[in-house]
Amino acid sequence: MRPYSGERLCRRCFFRSIEDRVRTAISKYEMLRLDDKIMVAVSGGKDSVTLLHILTNIEKAFPKANVCAVTVDEGIRGYRDEALKVAAKNCRKVGVRHVVVSFKEMYGYKLDEIVAMAREEELTPCSYCGVLRRRALNVAAREADADKLATAHNLDDEAQTIMLNIIHGDAPRIARVKPALDEVHPRLIRRIKPLCEVPEREVALYAYLKKIEFQSVPCPYARTALRSDIRTMLNRIEERHPGIKFTIFKSIEKIRPALEILAEKAEIQDCKMCGEPTVGEICKPCQMLRGLSILI
Amino acid sequence: MRPYSGERLCRRCFFRSIEDRVRTAISKYEMLRLDDKIMVAVSGGKDSVTLLHILTNIEKAFPKANVCAVTVDEGIRGYRDEALKVAAKNCRKVGVRHVVVSFKEMYGYKLDEIVAMAREEELTPCSYCGVLRRRALNVAAREADADKLATAHNLDDEAQTIMLNIIHGDAPRIARVKPALDEVHPRLIRRIKPLCEVPEREVALYAYLKKIEFQSVPCPYARTALRSDIRTMLNRIEERHPGIKFTIFKSIEKIRPALEILAEKAEIQDCKMCGEPTVGEICKPCQMLRGLSILI
């Protein structure tokens, strides 16, 4: 049962309702063109594996479109190896090409090593991982000649990010919580979030009922983040007031136009260290690696 | 000790720090002029009674300024009578005139009666109370010839309201969470919130250490509101991440200019039923009273 709508659906109607919601989001937010080459970021967790299954299914109706997948191996002991296998297995199952890129080969160090080097720094493991992973995904998508990079952010993720930005004192960043990012530079592959209107528990239920294999071990670093406190709190409030995750998401849509005017369109230029497109002279990944004395 | 700053203050320095923070907010947000007649909304709770003490103290340095107080008697059995006595006692103590206005005399019904009549309606007791109290305060301030109406909203209240607006799906309303409201109509007395940068627990500690008498019974209707869930959640997060209430407040200051552009300045006109200034043809209080068949 869906507490926020009162619906009770049978298995088949539930599947269709999730798939329809993804299709609706894709067309409403103009995520895809008929002939797009789509790269799905597949971590191996329930959200990304489910997205892979739904997208390859939808794509069958569009002969000119094309789906492939990428997994980033951050180098997290006891976590990523298993996930990599699961990701590869799912890609074989749906018949798409699977690319793996690793922090080790891109940056010279695994995340575990970076975290060990960063002990004294103020940044959390998730800060390093987020910045370096985003870069890795963009490079992989570009090298695969993809038009779009699909990530599996669900409704819960988006509601959490909105709250996180406000609580972090960075409300203007809310403008970036968008189902489909604008084209800002030819070498920045446009990111899309086809699951943005599906609540996390429905993604989980879909994966479970479809018997989709996924990795369920949580990341060992996840607990350190403010985000997990926000997740808990939103789930508690959602339980007592069903539908608030949707209203948070819709709420921000109303102010996004104003926020986008506020955020002057920053000029994208080439990073002076690595040449990747960035705002400012030196990109975030290079700043981080320099902070760790990996780059000088 | 203040977990968000690490300060440990003695009693005297703590008092001064609170009073300084109120003074700073007053000047930073241009809340008061030297010759303002200020009406303080005093419910009898710790926040409003503390505000009354601090403001009358600050006002001593400004001979042309003037402070008085107003209490709204909503008509809540087992709650308001005691609060009224406490409010009156505090006003005598600081030597200011005390005005009491009641729902019964303004609208013909006590809140308890309105809540009983509204059983079938969707609105919560707090919705009725909020709208009708705001109107009552404005009328009282105007009749007392006040230039400003000071309310005791503290930092926690402001952070909660921000979250509430987002969760309710009404993010554009965040623009109205302001320390000092703009002048929009000569018959709408400008509201100011001198405690907006003082956390609730510090207001409570100030009142306790100063031995200020206040009513501590919570409103019997308070539990029904989403706000109390948000309060709990913010307190939980604040405990683990000290300072988040400040960052939420500051966060919104960064996007307020954009939100204010979004919210077109609505034209204020006279309500067709009661003549009070309002946006649209019929004001919110009249709409509510009509919904209850009190007005036809």
Side-chain angles (χ1 to χ4, degrees), chain A:
Chain A
M1 206 194 75
R2 290 185 164 145
Y4 54 84
S5 69
E7 289 170 284
R8 285 168 182 280
L9 303 177
C10 74
R11 183 186 285 248
R12 201 193 298 175
C13 288
F14 171 71
F15 290 153
R16 198 183 302 150
S17 86
I18 297 294
E19 289 149 13
D20 281 351
R21 210 176 292 169
V22 173
R23 262 192 215 96
T24 306
I26 289 174
S27 85
K28 183 167 59 173
Y29 301 110
E30 299 175 354
M31 291 186 188
L32 294 173
R33 287 186 317 241
L34 295 177
D35 58 352
D36 266 346
K37 180 162 185 177
I38 310 152
M39 182 169 241
V40 186
V42 178
S43 68
K46 68 173 186 322
D47 300 298
S48 61
V49 174
T50 302
L51 176 63
L52 180 69
H53 281 258
I54 295 177
L55 276 188
T56 47
N57 210 4
I58 291 177
E59 180 256 352
K60 282 178 192 154
F62 300 95
K64 288 186 183 165
N66 181 296
V67 174
C68 64
V70 58
T71 304
V72 179
D73 178 2
E74 306 93 356
I76 303 173
R77 204 189 155 94
Y79 169 68
R80 182 49 71 203
D81 295 347
E82 174 66 18
L84 267 172
K85 281 183 212 153
V86 174
K89 208 165 154 187
N90 276 286
C91 289
R92 276 197 301 277
K93 199 164 174 184
V94 298
V96 304
R97 189 165 73 95
H98 184 215
V99 176
V100 177
V101 291
S102 75
F103 278 15
K104 185 79 182 178
E105 74 195 43
M106 277 195 81
Y107 308 115
Y109 293 88
K110 297 177 177 183
L111 183 67
D112 285 341
E113 293 165 342
I114 290 171
V115 170
M117 293 159 84
R119 283 265 180 269
E120 304 299 311
E121 301 279 326
E122 278 207 355
L123 294 174
T124 63
C126 299
S127 309
Y128 287 106
C129 189
V131 167
L132 299 178
R133 188 156 27 86
R134 248 192 313 281
R135 164 62 51 82
L137 285 172
N138 187 60
V139 170
R142 196 171 64 217
E143 289 180 352
D145 218 15
D147 300 298
K148 303 284 160 59
L149 175 66
T151 58
H153 294 89
N154 58 42
L155 179 65
D156 292 47
D157 295 324
E158 299 300 90
Q160 288 159 21
T161 303
I162 290 165
M163 289 300 179
L164 198 60
N165 283 329
I166 294 172
I167 290 179
H168 253 162
D170 204 3
R173 272 184 89 100
I174 295 175
R176 298 200 220 164
V177 182
K178 284 182 83 162
L181 289 183
D182 297 330
E183 163 118 41
V184 292
H185 189 280
R187 286 193 295 146
L188 286 174
I189 309 306
R190 282 186 64 194
R191 271 178 291 151
I192 59 170
K193 302 173 188 169
L195 298 183
C196 66
E197 297 193 348
V198 185
E200 181 162 30
R201 51 176 277 177
E202 296 189 20
V203 180
L205 184 59
Y206 185 97
Y208 173 78
L209 292 176
K210 282 264 185 188
K211 298 195 172 55
I212 292 174
E213 195 185 338
F214 58 85
Q215 200 220 25
S216 49
V217 178
C219 174
Y221 296 120
R223 219 167 324 165
T224 56
L226 172 58
R227 181 180 283 271
S228 68
D229 288 331
I230 293 174
R231 170 183 296 129
T232 310
M233 128 213 150
L234 285 179
N235 285 340
R236 276 206 191 107
I237 301 186
E238 175 79 33
E239 226 170 82
R240 292 163 58 97
H241 309 272
I244 59 129
K245 290 172 191 169
F246 277 110
T247 43
I248 291 171
F249 190 69
K250 297 289 172 198
S251 195
I252 294 307
E253 293 205 333
K254 294 185 195 162
I255 61 172
R256 192 182 300 122
L259 296 180
E260 289 187 334
I261 295 168
L262 183 74
E264 311 151 52
K265 294 284 175 206
E267 210 194 323
I268 307 276
Q269 50 193 76
D270 293 350
C271 168
K272 291 223 162 120
M273 299 191 77
C274 69
E276 286 290 324
T278 182
V279 176
E281 298 213 327
I282 295 181
C283 72
K284 215 73 201 276
C286 285
Q287 285 176 31
M288 281 188 165
L289 298 174
R290 206 165 54 164
L292 294 165
S293 312
I294 293 174
L295 288 179
I296 309 162

Side-chain angles (χ1 to χ4, degrees), chain B residues 79-275:
Chain B
Y79 169 69
R80 181 50 70 204
D81 294 347
E82 173 68 18
L84 266 172
K85 281 184 212 151
V86 174
K89 208 166 155 187
N90 275 288
C91 289
R92 276 196 302 277
K93 199 164 175 184
V94 298
V96 304
R97 189 164 75 95
H98 184 216
V99 176
V100 177
V101 291
S102 74
F103 278 14
K104 184 80 181 177
E105 76 195 43
M106 277 194 83
Y107 309 114
Y109 293 87
K110 297 178 178 183
L111 184 66
D112 286 341
E113 293 165 339
I114 290 172
V115 170
M117 293 159 84
R119 282 268 180 266
E120 304 299 311
E121 301 280 326
E122 277 205 354
L123 295 173
T124 63
C126 298
S127 309
Y128 287 105
C129 189
V131 167
L132 299 178
R133 189 157 25 88
R134 248 191 313 281
R135 164 63 50 83
L137 286 172
N138 187 62
V139 171
R142 196 174 63 217
E143 287 179 355
D145 220 16
D147 300 298
K148 303 285 160 59
L149 175 66
T151 59
H153 295 89
N154 59 41
L155 179 64
D156 292 48
D157 295 323
E158 299 300 88
Q160 286 159 21
T161 302
I162 290 166
M163 289 300 179
L164 198 61
N165 283 330
I166 294 172
I167 290 179
H168 254 160
D170 206 3
R173 273 184 88 102
I174 296 174
R176 299 200 219 162
V177 182
K178 285 181 82 162
L181 289 183
D182 298 329
E183 163 117 43
V184 291
H185 190 281
R187 287 193 295 147
L188 286 175
I189 308 308
R190 282 186 62 195
R191 272 177 290 152
I192 59 170
K193 303 171 187 170
L195 297 184
C196 65
E197 297 193 347
V198 186
E200 181 162 29
R201 48 176 280 176
E202 296 189 20
V203 179
L205 185 59
Y206 185 97
Y208 173 77
L209 293 175
K210 282 264 184 188
K211 298 194 172 56
I212 293 174
E213 194 184 341
F214 59 86
Q215 199 220 25
S216 49
V217 179
C219 174
Y221 295 120
R223 219 170 320 170
T224 56
L226 172 58
R227 180 180 283 272
S228 69
D229 288 331
I230 293 174
R231 169 183 296 128
T232 310
M233 131 213 147
L234 285 179
N235 285 340
R236 276 204 191 110
I237 301 188
E238 176 80 32
E239 226 170 83
R240 292 163 58 97
H241 309 271
I244 59 129
K245 290 171 191 169
F246 277 111
T247 44
I248 291 171
F249 190 70
K250 297 291 172 198
S251 195
I252 295 306
E253 295 205 332
K254 293 185 195 164
I255 61 172
R256 193 181 298 123
L259 297 179
E260 289 187 332
I261 295 168
L262 184 75
E264 313 150 52
K265 294 284 173 208
E267 207 193 323
I268 308 275
Q269 51 193 77
D270 293 351
C271 169
K272 292 223 160 118
M273 299 190 77
C274 70

